[in-house]
Amino acid sequence: MLRRVPLRLAVPLRRTALGALLQQQIHTAGKGVPFAEFMDQAMRHPEHGYFTTKAKVIGSDADFITAPELLPEFGWCVGRWLAEAAVKVFNGDPHGWDGEAFDGPGGEVSLVEFGPGTGRLMAQLLMFLKYEVGVHCLAKIHLRMIEVSPVMIAQQKEMLRPFLPHLGSIQWRGDVHAGFESLSDAAPTFIVSNEYFDVLPVHILNCRGGGVWHEQVVSCTKPATAACPSSNPDPTFFLRENAAPAGADLTDLMLARKDAGEAGDRMELCPQAVRDMNLMASRIEKTGGMVLALDYGKDVPSENTLQGMWRQETCSPLLNPGEIDISWHVDFDLLRQHVQRVAPSLAFTSAHTQQEFLARMGFEQFVALRRRQAEADGAPLPSHLERRYELLMDPHQMGGHHRAVALCSKELYPPPGFGRVV
């Protein structure tokens, strides 16, 4: 998501329905809840969650904006990645782009997007395939959108409406297992995601030294009662350290991370990110295909990256549960280590910057074409579009902070976008 210069706009503290619910739960239980549980409810609670109920969360007039919302050329690059990946899977390693995708035996493919947002990325991807490969290829695509939010699903269906008559099939599924089980194992699977992993619930651990890690839990002020009306009715949430050491279910995830750990070290761990990437890897190992994931993160441990976002401004992730976006930076190397354990036949690329990936997939050529079209119409490309181009490619902005990784069989390595520059 886009990190803009703060608007110097204070986040108004307010009593949210989910905040009151969490306050009562914590008070009744008499103990704090792991931050991952707090984050999961804040983002995905079926009645009060940020993604599940908020009408608009992505866009220039919302809390954050993603790359596909800035320029369609971003999605065209992902569409080109898919077309070239299909060429590799069906016909071997192509020598550059030749447009002959989906023409192998049968040509059927399974396409899965995790966390499709507004649906704009998939619409851009399909638009590229329609015009650069041919509308015939859409009939060979069996698309599954992995989405839990009814609000988002409605937006995605509207965005993809022009393509529905042409696709081989399309379904929305709320979890990974259901999405994969609805697809044929005979067709290769291509998986894409953009800013999916960085909003999965994350645990926070602090090291006391000697390899002993304690989890951070969320506590809050007591709710007002008839017996104690002076208690604060507006819940204030804060982090504190759990007295008991973290269990093996968390510490085992660390693998080679930081050896035993030193006093004062901090770690952000996301078991669901590991599980979901392992499921993707198992699917690719079973059916063939490739994975492309774009997200905020690096090939290093995530230590202190959690943040809230409200109206394009960073804030505490503990504010106004259900109304603040919460995200963290993904540790791609940790995901890679786990994939190598469950799917040793696959290759997991290093994390390339978004600028590197887009350059290799022809982003600058796409933008140059648009500039020439604008000049042919008697006007330069509008300045706001030039600024968006810079934002996506500048190594000091999204071009450098946003990363791309891919997963494929070792025989097909490197995947498109992770080798030579076109």
Side-chain angles (χ1 to χ4, degrees):
M1 59 195 68
L2 171 58
R3 274 71 171 173
R4 286 186 169 178
V5 176
L7 301 177
R8 305 188 184 280
L9 183 67
V11 180
L13 298 180
R14 56 188 305 273
R15 181 180 176 84
T16 67
L18 181 58
L21 181 63
L22 287 168
Q23 181 188 37
Q24 190 61 52
Q25 288 177 351
I26 292 171
H27 177 65
T28 301
K31 60 181 181 179
V33 300
F35 180 82
E37 181 179 332
F38 173 90
M39 180 175 175
D40 192 40
Q41 292 206 50
M43 301 296 278
R44 296 171 183 82
H45 187 280
E47 296 179 6
H48 309 298
Y50 179 80
F51 280 134
T52 49
T53 61
K54 199 166 182 180
K56 187 170 185 179
V57 299
I58 304 174
S60 58
D61 57 346
D63 293 328
F64 63 92
I65 190 167
T66 58
E69 309 295 323
L70 293 170
L71 287 175
E73 287 83 356
F74 178 87
W76 298 353
C77 287
V78 179
R80 181 171 179 176
W81 174 87
L82 174 60
E84 291 200 11
V87 171
K88 275 205 164 192
V89 169
F90 285 131
N91 304 327
D93 191 354
H95 299 288
W97 168 245
D98 60 12
E100 297 297 323
F102 307 103
D103 289 332
E108 302 283 325
V109 302
S110 299
L111 176 58
V112 183
E113 183 177 4
F114 281 65
T118 64
R120 195 175 298 277
L121 172 60
M122 184 54 63
Q124 294 165 356
L125 181 159
L126 295 175
M127 183 67 73
F128 175 87
L129 294 179
K130 178 180 177 181
Y131 287 105
E132 295 297 325
V133 180
V135 69
H136 69 280
C137 80
L138 300 186
K140 300 179 180 181
I141 295 176
H142 299 277
L143 177 60
R144 299 296 180 267
M145 307 285 273
I146 309 300
E147 180 61 75
V148 299
S149 168
V151 176
M152 292 289 193
I153 289 174
Q155 294 178 21
Q156 293 157 18
K157 288 183 175 180
E158 183 61 30
M159 185 70 68
L160 297 178
R161 186 183 300 276
F163 304 98
L164 299 184
H166 305 292
L167 290 167
S169 68
I170 180 171
Q171 295 179 19
W172 276 261
R173 298 288 175 150
D175 66 81
V176 182
H177 291 285
F180 288 160
E181 289 171 0
S182 68
L183 292 166
S184 168
D185 293 341
T189 305
F190 298 90
I191 300 170
V192 297
S193 71
N194 182 62
E195 298 197 30
Y196 168 75
F197 290 99
D198 71 343
V199 292
L200 295 179
V202 64
H203 294 263
I204 308 172
L205 288 85
N206 288 342
C207 185
R208 289 189 179 180
V212 179
W213 294 82
H214 288 249
E215 184 169 11
Q216 293 276 290
V217 296
V218 178
S219 293
C220 70
T221 53
K222 293 181 179 180
T225 63
C228 187
S230 60
S231 295
N232 185 5
D234 298 321
T236 300
F237 295 93
F238 55 90
L239 286 170
R240 64 174 178 81
E241 190 172 282
N242 196 5
D249 58 331
L250 282 180
T251 55
D252 285 352
L253 284 175
M254 297 182 189
L255 295 177
R257 282 284 164 265
K258 282 193 158 184
D259 301 316
E262 300 177 355
D265 284 350
R266 174 181 165 119
M267 186 77 66
E268 295 165 355
L269 290 174
C270 183
Q272 187 177 341
V274 172
R275 288 195 299 269
D276 285 358
M277 183 59 81
N278 285 349
L279 286 171
M280 294 181 189
S282 297
R283 177 71 184 182
I284 299 305
E285 198 169 47
K286 181 179 183 180
T287 67
M290 296 190 189
V291 175
L292 173 66
L294 297 111
D295 233 310
Y296 285 97
K298 293 182 178 180
D299 279 334
V300 295
S302 301
E303 298 181 351
N304 194 25
T305 68
L306 269 170
Q307 66 174 19
M309 287 289 288
W310 184 77
R311 296 187 182 179
Q312 315 282 340
E313 183 180 12
T314 58
C315 63
S316 167
L318 297 172
L319 296 176
N320 302 352
E323 295 188 355
I324 299 292
D325 173 68
I326 305 173
S327 66
W328 58 289
H329 285 201
V330 181
D331 177 358
F332 291 116
D333 188 55
L334 186 63
L335 300 185
R336 183 182 300 108
Q337 290 186 46
H338 281 275
V339 164
Q340 289 170 344
R341 298 170 77 184
V342 303
S345 69
L346 301 183
F348 195 127
T349 70
S350 61
H352 293 227
T353 66
Q354 174 175 285
Q355 187 274 336
E356 293 170 332
F357 172 76
L358 292 180
R360 291 178 180 129
M361 300 315 300
F363 182 81
E364 290 166 316
Q365 291 93 322
F366 290 143
V367 174
L369 176 61
R370 199 206 283 220
R371 288 195 185 105
R372 290 195 296 270
Q373 291 172 338
E375 290 170 358
D377 293 335
L381 195 66
S383 58
H384 75 281
L385 295 182
E386 292 286 2
R387 287 194 298 271
R388 291 181 176 187
Y389 163 76
E390 180 181 358
L391 176 64
L392 289 174
M393 297 296 282
D394 187 342
H396 300 294
Q397 301 186 69
M398 289 181 75
H401 300 314
H402 212 221
R403 304 297 173 105
V405 296
L407 186 62
C408 68
S409 70
K410 291 179 179 178
E411 290 77 12
L412 298 178
Y413 189 88
F418 295 84
R420 65 184 181 83
V421 178
V422 297

